[in-house]
Amino acid sequence: MGDWIGLAFFALLIAAVLIGLKVLSKPRIRTSDEFERNAAENKTMLGAMMNALHDVTDPAAVKAREVREQMKDGRYLKKKREGKANDNEHADIVEETIND
């Protein structure tokens, strides 16, 4: 009789673990605002240290992050384009003075 009780206990334990894992594995649907708020609130010291270490070991990732932020803000390559426009105007003025 004791063996059957032990076997039933382990069967119930395994069933409870499987059901618990199934419940935990369901993705929770949330909006991007909720995600951003949770991400901003849950910064930890370990996460900050890992980000800093990643920045030191991979400088290209830092540049890529900056480019993504600039593209979101709409200011990517704006200075470069402005510089080219100013250079073209400057070149026109130089050509006019040489031709005169």
Side-chain angles (χ1 to χ4, degrees), residues 30 32-44:
R30 57 185 173 173
S32 61
D33 293 335
E34 289 175 331
F35 175 78
E36 293 294 330
R37 185 177 60 242
N38 287 342
E41 290 175 356
N42 294 330
K43 291 184 180 175
T44 62

Side-chain angles (χ1 to χ4, degrees), residues 59-77:
V62 176
K63 181 66 176 167
R65 187 178 326 122
E66 289 174 6
V67 167
R68 279 194 303 269
E69 290 174 8
Q70 288 176 358
M71 290 179 80
K72 283 181 185 176
D73 294 338
R75 51 187 172 92
Y76 180 64
L77 294 178

Side-chain angles (χ1 to χ4, degrees), residues 74-89:
R75 51 187 172 92
Y76 180 64
L77 294 178
K78 219 174 220 184
K79 287 183 181 177
K80 197 176 238 185
R81 280 185 259 143
E82 288 173 359
K84 286 183 179 179
N86 291 338
D87 289 343
N88 290 341
E89 291 173 7

Side-chain angles (χ1 to χ4, degrees), residues 6-59:
L7 185 62
F9 172 75
F10 283 118
L12 286 174
L13 182 67
I14 290 172
V17 167
L18 291 175
I19 292 170
L21 288 174
K22 183 74 171 176
V23 169
L24 288 175
S25 68
K26 282 187 178 177
R28 199 179 117 211
I29 299 171
R30 57 185 173 173
T31 64
S32 61
D33 293 335
E34 289 175 331
F35 175 78
E36 293 294 330
R37 185 177 60 242
N38 287 342
E41 290 175 356
N42 294 330
K43 291 184 180 175
T44 62
M45 182 62 90
L46 180 62
M49 288 173 43
M50 292 303 289
N51 286 339
L53 179 64
H54 185 259
D55 291 348
V56 169
T57 57
D58 191 8

